[in-house]
Amino acid sequence: MLDLLTRLLLFRDARERTLAAKIRRVVPVERSGVYLALGESVGLCIDSLSQAGLILVSSDFPPKLKGGRGVWPELTAAADNAMHAHSLDALRFALRGDSIETCTAHARLVSTATLQGDVVLVLETLDGVPRTLPAGVSVRVPAEDQFREDVTPWIETLTRWLERALVMSEDDASIALEAAMPELSRRQKRGLIELVANEASHSLCLRASAGDLAPLLEHAASVDRHQRADALLQRRRQVAEAQLRRERDRVERAQRALTREEASAPEADRMRRQADALLSAPRDAVRCEAGVISVPDPYDAEVWIAVPIDPLGAAIPQVAEKLYARARKAERGRIVRAERQALMAKRSVRLAVLCAAAESAHDLDSVAALEAELMRLGVAAGDVGAAS
């Protein structure tokens, strides 16, 4: 996460370059924020990821996201309807809530942080109820008098505090920060105290506050791109791992089901032997009683085989033919189950290899290769949201 001073500097630069420009279009970006296209070659990107309302000026107009349903594209479309062709009348920052307010004459779009550090986009229009992204999140938008247009005094105060904090203990730096800027939230204070330990970030912020914003903007854009790429990679990897787990569970369930079917399947050899005994038994050796035919075993004269009469009243040749048919069916079923067991075993081994590969998939190429292997196995791989 970028520190408070960096975000204030970015906000100041964005306000100077975009205020009073006409909004040409509002489009969604990366399922995490919105992009306000302004003028001919400049736009304002408001992020709703962990940057706590990071705002960047960009000359690259991002493509409008294709697909997707729900509150997020609806909120963006509503912002486009309300702010299109209107001038950007105000761009203001609320320090206490880590909030950025973008206003036209007919609507205001607020990016504000929750107590947990998540960021919510809130759209308010003159003729509609407020909308939020993510949906259903309750967040307190700072009061009107807490928003400020000029952040220069805060930047100067923070710069002086940073210069002093470099030679202070953590406790002394915390006390000095509380005295210098009591309006900071606890999370902001904690982030700035942690920043003291990173002298490289200090010098970057101090140089930028002195008037050189180019290195800071380049650094912020690089961090933003890296975090987006890393978030995309993690989402794709998590989706692939979840799909692997589901497919392994499905294969294991199929293997258990095949094992149960095999255990409960009728024995083809036994039914075929019963039919042979019925057809080979002498007439005087056949005993019929209580719906059962008892005949000598043609392969062991000392053993008698009891065969249920199915259907009742059927003749011996008819009972034998039905037994032969059931034996053939049982044999076909055994062959099919054996083939399916072999396929499931082979698939299980392949999935185990892919699970091991997923654990070491730490770059985009390896995750893409994992998704390709899943698709070869017939598993729907990838994530529409992540891919976008």
Side-chain angles (χ1 to χ4, degrees):
M1 178 182 291
L2 297 180
D3 61 273
L4 176 62
L5 179 55
T6 305
R7 294 202 305 277
L8 287 174
L9 289 165
L10 291 172
F11 169 81
R12 185 180 66 182
D13 179 68
R15 185 175 183 279
E16 291 174 354
R17 295 172 59 184
T18 63
L19 197 60
K22 185 168 291 187
I23 299 175
R24 295 189 296 124
R25 195 176 181 189
V26 180
V27 296
V29 180
E30 294 286 345
R31 293 191 178 276
S32 62
V34 295
Y35 181 87
L36 281 67
L38 306 167
E40 293 299 325
S41 61
V42 68
L44 210 55
C45 185
I46 303 176
D47 200 349
S48 65
L49 285 176
S50 58
Q51 301 284 344
L54 174 64
I55 189 166
L56 288 173
V57 179
S58 172
S59 59
D60 299 325
F61 186 84
K64 184 176 180 181
L65 186 77
K66 296 180 180 179
R69 298 179 180 178
V71 171
W72 178 70
E74 288 182 3
L75 180 142
T76 310
D80 186 46
N81 290 335
M83 307 177 87
H84 172 73
H86 292 282
S87 296
L88 187 62
D89 293 341
L91 187 61
R92 306 194 301 167
F93 192 100
L95 192 65
R96 182 67 186 175
D98 260 351
S99 298
I100 291 175
E101 179 189 57
T102 309
C103 294
T104 67
H106 296 81
R108 66 194 294 252
L109 184 64
V110 180
S111 171
T112 187
T114 66
L115 293 177
Q116 293 74 30
D118 301 320
V119 175
V120 181
L121 291 177
V122 181
L123 174 67
E124 297 179 353
T125 59
L126 293 178
D127 54 355
V129 297
R131 303 191 186 201
T132 62
L133 166 70
V137 175
S138 177
V139 62
R140 186 184 68 85
V141 176
E144 182 73 17
D145 58 2
Q146 294 180 16
F147 283 94
R148 297 289 185 271
E149 295 183 6
D150 186 7
V151 296
T152 301
W154 285 328
I155 293 175
E156 293 174 350
T157 301
L158 279 175
T159 302
R160 288 194 297 270
W161 173 80
L162 280 172
E163 292 171 339
R164 294 175 56 198
L166 286 172
V167 295
M168 289 181 178
S169 67
E170 183 174 324
D171 290 340
D172 290 341
S174 179
I175 294 171
L177 179 60
E178 176 65 32
M181 300 191 73
E183 63 268 47
L184 290 182
S185 67
R186 183 180 302 174
R187 180 170 58 81
Q188 290 171 325
K189 293 173 184 174
R190 184 171 61 248
L192 286 170
I193 293 295
E194 292 172 356
L195 179 65
V196 173
N198 189 338
E199 188 171 349
S201 293
H202 278 155
S203 59
L204 174 65
C205 290
L206 293 176
R207 287 198 310 271
S209 64
D212 183 13
L213 274 172
L216 177 63
L217 293 174
E218 182 179 350
H219 169 72
S222 174
V223 169
D224 183 60
R225 287 192 298 270
H226 175 76
Q227 290 187 342
R228 287 183 184 276
D230 186 63
L232 172 62
L233 174 64
Q234 294 304 320
R235 286 200 299 270
R236 287 179 62 173
R237 179 182 172 184
Q238 290 169 4
V239 169
E241 288 178 333
Q243 290 162 334
L244 272 172
R245 288 194 298 270
R246 286 195 295 268
E247 185 62 16
R248 288 192 73 177
D249 291 344
R250 189 190 71 80
V251 169
E252 290 174 359
R253 289 195 301 270
Q255 289 177 312
R256 290 194 296 269
L258 288 170
T259 301
R260 289 195 300 269
E261 289 179 16
E262 186 65 28
S264 61
E267 299 177 10
D269 292 342
R270 179 179 58 81
M271 292 186 292
R272 191 172 287 111
R273 188 165 183 169
Q274 288 177 333
D276 292 344
L278 286 176
L279 295 180
S280 62
R283 185 178 296 274
D284 58 356
V286 176
R287 304 172 186 171
C288 296
E289 54 183 20
V292 176
I293 304 174
S294 298
V295 292
D297 188 338
Y299 307 104
D300 188 349
E302 296 182 0
V303 176
W304 283 71
I305 296 177
V307 183
I309 301 174
D310 183 20
L312 286 175
I316 287 178
Q318 184 180 357
V319 175
E321 180 57 35
K322 187 168 184 178
L323 285 170
Y324 282 132
R326 291 178 60 195
R328 291 192 295 271
K329 182 177 179 180
E331 185 65 24
R332 290 194 301 271
R334 186 192 67 77
I335 294 173
V336 170
R337 283 191 297 274
E339 292 175 348
R340 291 183 62 194
Q341 281 282 24
L343 287 173
M344 290 297 105
K346 183 178 179 181
R347 193 175 184 86
S348 180
V349 170
R350 184 60 186 150
L351 288 171
V353 172
L354 291 180
C355 285
E359 293 179 358
S360 58
H362 299 303
D363 56 64
L364 197 57
D365 289 340
S366 56
V367 172
L370 181 63
E371 292 172 343
E373 287 297 322
L374 281 171
M375 294 182 71
R376 290 190 190 99
L377 289 174
V379 179
D383 173 56
V384 173
S388 301

